[in-house]
Structure formats: C-alpha cells, structure tokens
Amino acid sequence: MIDLQNIQYKSTKGETLLELDHQFELNQFHVILGPSGAGKTILLELLAGLVQPTQGELIFEGTKVTNLFPEVRKFGYLPQDNVLFPHLTVRQNVEYSLKIKGIHNQTLVEELANRLKINHLLDRKIDFLSGGEIQRVALVRSIVAGNKVLLLDEPTAALDPALKNELCYLLKEIRELYQLTIIMVTHDIEVAYMVGDQLVFLIDGQIQQTTQLPVVKFIPANLKVAQFIGGYNLITGQILFTNQQVSFETNGLKLLVEDGYKTIPPTTEITLGISSTALNLVKTNEDLSNVVQGKIKRILQKQHSVLLFFEPNHTNFLFEIELNHQTRLAPPPQLGDEIYVQFPEENLYLLN
Amino acid sequence: MKQKTSYRYVFFVFAISSVYLVLIGTLFWFFDPTKFVQIFTSDRTFYSLKLSIGIATVVALISTLLAIPAAYALSRYKFPGKQFLDNLLELPMIVSPAALGAMILLFFSTKYGSALQDHTTQIVFAIGGIFIAQLITVVGVSVRLIKSVMDEIPVRYEHISRTLGATQWQSFRTVTLPLAKKGILASYIVAWAKAVGEFGATIMVAGAMPLKTETLTTSIFLRLSSADIDGAVIFIILLLSIGFLALSLFRFIAKKSTR
C-alpha cells in the first residue's frame, strides 16, 4: 500500500497546493481526475520524490519513504512532455537504467520491446517517433528499470482517439501482466473509465471523492465534482419539508427529492444537480411525479446526440437535456415546442 | 510566412555595417604586404601570438570548468543571496576592463595580495597577471552563457533519470552535460575570443613589456605608441581574423545544436 498520511504541500509563497490523506492499494490502476491547477502533477512529483511535502509522511509497503531520494524510491515517472532523452536513441533510452547500474539484460529489453511493439524502433533516433510510440518507449524504459509503481501524467493528452484507445488497452494489459501499480493523472473522464480500477477526484488540492470501478451509477459527492465532470444541470435553491415529503424549491420550480435528504436542515441554501442524460421527455404530466412543463429555447446537434435547452414555465433558467440519437423521440422536438420533462427523484442530487 | 522586405529598416543595417566596413577598409589603406612577412615572422610577433593564444586557451578552459557548476546552481536552485551573487557575476560586463584591472592591481598591492604572490607566483607585471586579468574578465561571461544553456534544458529530463535509478551526479553526467555539450563548447569559443581580445585589464595588471607580457592587443598599443603603423595594422588584421574565425565556429556549433 502507498499511504499518504496528512500530506500537505505549500508553494514558496505559503499557499497550500495539496492537502490529503489517502491510501493507494498496490496492483491497482488508480486514476487521479481533476481540472488544471488541482495539484495532480504535484501529487505525482511528491510520490516520485521530486518534491518534498511541507508536512506529512509517505509510507510505501510499511516503510517510510518521505525523505528518500527518487532513485531509491523507484517510482517510475512519465511526465506529460519531454518524456524521452533527446540525445539518446530509442535503445539507449530503454537501456538507460541498466547502463547506470552496469547491468546487461538484453533478454528483458527484447521481451518488453516485443510485447509493447517497439522492437522495430530500437535503433532509431527519437526525433521521428509518434506520440503513441514515445509513450510505449517510455513505458518499456520504466519497466526495464524495475519500477513496480508507475506515475503517469496525462499520457493520452496528445494522442488522437484511436491511439488513445490503443494506449489505454496497453496500459491495462501491462499493469496486469507485470503486476504494476499505476497512478495516472488525467482530466479525461472517458480515459479514466477505460483504464481505472479506482477514480480519485482531486480538486483544489484536496481529494473530493474516490470511486471504485466498475460503478453502476456514479453519484457526484459534491458540487465541485459535479462541476468538474460536466453535463450536470446545477441550480441553487432551498430544502422544504411538506406532508412528510422533502422537496427542493427555487424560483417557481418545486421538485420532490429522495427521503434520504431529510437530514439537511430546512431552508438551507443548497445546489440541486441532475445529469443532462437523466432527464426524461414524457408525453403528459398525468400519473407521474416531478413533471415540469416548459419550452425548448435552443437546440444543439452533437455527433451522437442532440442537446435541448429547456426552460420550465414561469422560470428563467435553462436545463440541458441530452438525447441520444438512438433513443430520442420521433418526431424530434423542435425549437419553441411545449414539452413535459420528468425529473426522476432518484437522479436528483443535493450537493454542498 | 515570409514578410515583404521593408528597405527603410534594411537601410539602417547597411548604414551601421558600412561604418565597420570603412574601418576594415582603412586597414588595407595602410597595409604594406612587403613588411607583412618580416613582421609576422619576427620573434616578437611569434612570442605575442603564442602568449595570447596559449593563455586564452587555458583561461577559457578553466573559466568554462568553473562556470559549469556555478551556472548549473544558478539555473536549478534557489538559495540565500542568489540574486545578489547573480548580479555580482555581471561585474566584468558592467565595469570597464581597465577599472577591473585596476581593482586587481589594488588587491595585489594589499598585504593579503602580496602574501598570495609570495606563496604562489608573481602576478603583477608578470605572465601570471595576464592569466588572472583574463580569467576574472571572462569567467562572468562564461557563467552567463552556460546558465542560458542550462536554462534551456528542461529539468524534467533530470527528474526522469532520477526515477530510473540515477543519482544526482549520474543524472548530471549522463543527461544534463551531454545535452549542454554544444552550448558549453560555443561558450568556450566566446570565452576564448574574449580572452584573446582582452586589453584593459591585462595592461593594468601585467603591463606591456615586449617579449615578456606583450599580448596581441598590447602589441597594437605598443606599436601605435612608437608610431609603428605597419606593425599595428598587421596585428589588427591578425586579431580580426582570429575573431571572425571564432565567430564562424560559434555560429556553426550554435546552428548544429539547434538541429
């Protein structure tokens, strides 16, 4: 286990950039998700031993490694750019750690080069490698160095969709094959779902939520996570209790929410979140709860879906409704149409 | 996209360059080919040439060797007094070489300077003085040039090498130094050319004694002082040739390092 105990990292100006207490299980694929400036790269540098925490301890397999040099710690680090040494060939890059230690292990190099399909690149200069090839060479180099923990900083950021999928598959494969622990930073939620065993949401230097994958239904733990993921309709209002029911009310819109929210004190200012894909278009408001009537104010066509901007009657806010091309109603809704939208209780989240 | 040439701006390039061209042309006005071989092959000329090139080569080498760790520290680390020390290293560039030479001379006239000379070698009005004057003038430039080379090398490479098992020294030796190699070589050439052309500090500390402390630059001064125009012109042409050769070599290395 990699145990981060009360870790705090402050900038030279005294600003707290990272504050966390977290355990990473070994032999798992952990994905750190968060927006730019969330402290993701600092977390990787801290794990690699390239920066020192202002306070707290880092324990690796029961041993304190907080003050150990990176070369002793042996956490492989693949930054976002400047990954390979430009003055060395691919082979020299791959064999770098062996040369440092004066070891000769051609069998391991050849085996890994074959498995990660870089054997035909070994004697090339790195100048003409593609983004995907650079990442594969760097992975081989790190595994050759004997690193059992790999820290990857946005490895898919510069790749086109096809290469991105290929690298994700490869990362999953080598993780299992070589029993590695991978901690990868990304802001791409799709990539995170493709590779991860655990998602860690790091926002504003703090872990906001951890989710073990696969997950049947993802529920954002708080407003920051919902805002980061995107695709959520977020509106501010108040909690009310009427006739043993809990409801959310704001500017002429009243929606019943699940009983679990009873613990929130009434009249508390709170944000309601609902995913744009969780709103249902219905034909009428009969026999259904939480059905709101309103108009379609805007329509945006996306590659695989259509985005409707719905304004409930007597309100002045817009809800985004994303309809998949395959599941959307026929005939498709038109601009200005009066429609009924159901806000299912189980998909309404009250977020702090 | 290639911009359309505006000759209003190009005019200034020609105007400024023409001043230098006129000055170079003037040299050939006074140049007497018949005396060239005689002066060029004299013992005195050969001594000056040997002294200038020899000392400049050693000075540039020592200056570069001292500058590499200093430049690395300035480029990579934060430490108390860094800004002050960084400014202090600009001293040879902001102070006139003559003033710098006078400062060296004053130091060696103190009891500490005298003791240093007594326990090592004669500096003032001796070959040692040329060496010290040139080294002090050049080392600041070397640090500045090599620091800019180090700044260009992303620290990421060192980070990666550390995570691959390299110690700090191994990382510096196997990653930073090879990547800085061409830049360091280019800075060596600049340091060498600056040392060959150094005059102010050298004459203050070492004087200008023929066949003793007479370098190529002091030779020009001595020959002009004694109205030996032919001799002075030949030495100026010699210095110009060395300068252009060094510049060409520097440009060649700089071009190769950007590829």
Side-chain angles (χ1 to χ4, degrees), chain A residues 41 45 50 69-71 75 77 79 82-87 96-97 100 141 145 147, chain B residues 78 154 156-168 170-171 174-175 178-179:
Chain A
T41 300
E45 289 181 344
L50 301 168
F69 289 130
E71 62 269 27
F75 283 19
Y77 177 48
N82 301 317
V83 185
L84 300 178
F85 302 130
H87 61 298
Y96 179 83
S97 61
I100 287 286
R141 184 179 62 180
N147 294 325
Chain B
K78 285 177 183 154
R156 280 263 181 267
Y157 293 132
E158 290 164 35
H159 285 170
I160 298 166
S161 75
R162 298 290 301 275
T163 65
L164 292 170
T167 60
Q168 194 174 22
Q170 284 172 326
S171 169
T174 58
V175 177
L179 287 172

Side-chain angles (χ1 to χ4, degrees), chain B residues 26-92:
Chain B
T26 314
L27 289 176
F28 290 95
W29 184 273
F30 289 98
F31 182 66
D32 183 352
T34 55
K35 290 190 179 165
F36 179 78
V37 178
Q38 186 201 336
I39 294 170
F40 196 72
T41 55
S42 72
D43 284 348
R44 193 177 154 190
T45 305
F46 188 65
Y47 181 84
S48 299
L49 190 66
K50 199 172 65 176
L51 190 67
S52 284
I53 305 267
I55 290 185
T57 306
V58 177
V59 161
L61 182 70
I62 293 174
S63 165
T64 305
L65 289 177
L66 292 173
I68 291 171
Y72 182 77
L74 285 170
S75 170
R76 293 291 190 268
Y77 305 127
K78 285 177 183 154
F79 51 88
K82 180 182 171 180
Q83 195 57 53
F84 171 73
L85 295 173
D86 200 11
N87 291 339
L88 205 63
L89 285 167
E90 303 275 2
L91 198 73

Side-chain angles (χ1 to χ4, degrees), chain A residues 24-175:
Chain A
F24 291 104
E25 289 291 335
L26 296 182
N27 296 325
Q28 283 218 345
F29 206 126
H30 305 270
V31 183
I32 317 280
L33 279 154
S36 301
K40 305 190 296 288
T41 300
I42 291 171
L43 175 58
L44 291 191
E45 289 181 344
L46 211 131
L47 286 163
L50 301 168
V51 295
Q52 288 294 309
T54 316
Q55 70 170 55
E57 297 292 353
L58 180 64
I59 315 286
F60 178 50
E61 291 185 309
T63 312
K64 197 172 108 178
V65 296
T66 323
N67 299 315
L68 286 186
F69 289 130
E71 62 269 27
V72 188
R73 212 178 279 199
K74 300 201 71 178
F75 283 19
Y77 177 48
L78 276 73
Q80 204 173 341
D81 44 25
N82 301 317
V83 185
L84 300 178
F85 302 130
H87 61 298
L88 303 179
T89 64
V90 171
R91 185 184 292 278
Q92 287 167 333
N93 262 284
V94 167
E95 292 175 353
Y96 179 83
S97 61
L98 300 177
K99 203 180 165 194
I100 287 286
K101 293 172 207 149
I103 302 169
H104 195 76
N105 193 345
Q106 273 307 305
T107 324
L108 178 67
V109 171
E110 297 295 335
E111 185 216 311
L112 276 161
N114 275 327
R115 194 170 289 280
L116 276 86
K117 296 176 191 142
I118 60 154
N119 43 348
H120 62 293
L121 305 170
L122 283 174
D123 295 310
R124 283 198 203 165
K125 286 190 165 188
I126 67 149
D127 307 32
F128 303 106
L129 299 187
S130 68
E133 287 169 342
I134 287 172
Q135 294 296 342
R136 294 210 304 267
V137 172
L139 282 170
V140 171
R141 184 179 62 180
S142 208
I143 301 169
V144 167
N147 294 325
K148 297 300 271 181
V149 178
L150 295 188
L151 308 167
L152 317 179
D153 195 352
E154 302 264 14
T156 58
L159 305 181
D160 60 46
L163 281 175
K164 196 192 279 187
N165 295 346
E166 195 189 313
L167 185 69
C168 284
Y169 177 74
L170 191 71
L171 285 172
K172 265 183 94 81
E173 195 185 46
I174 61 157
R175 202 218 59 71

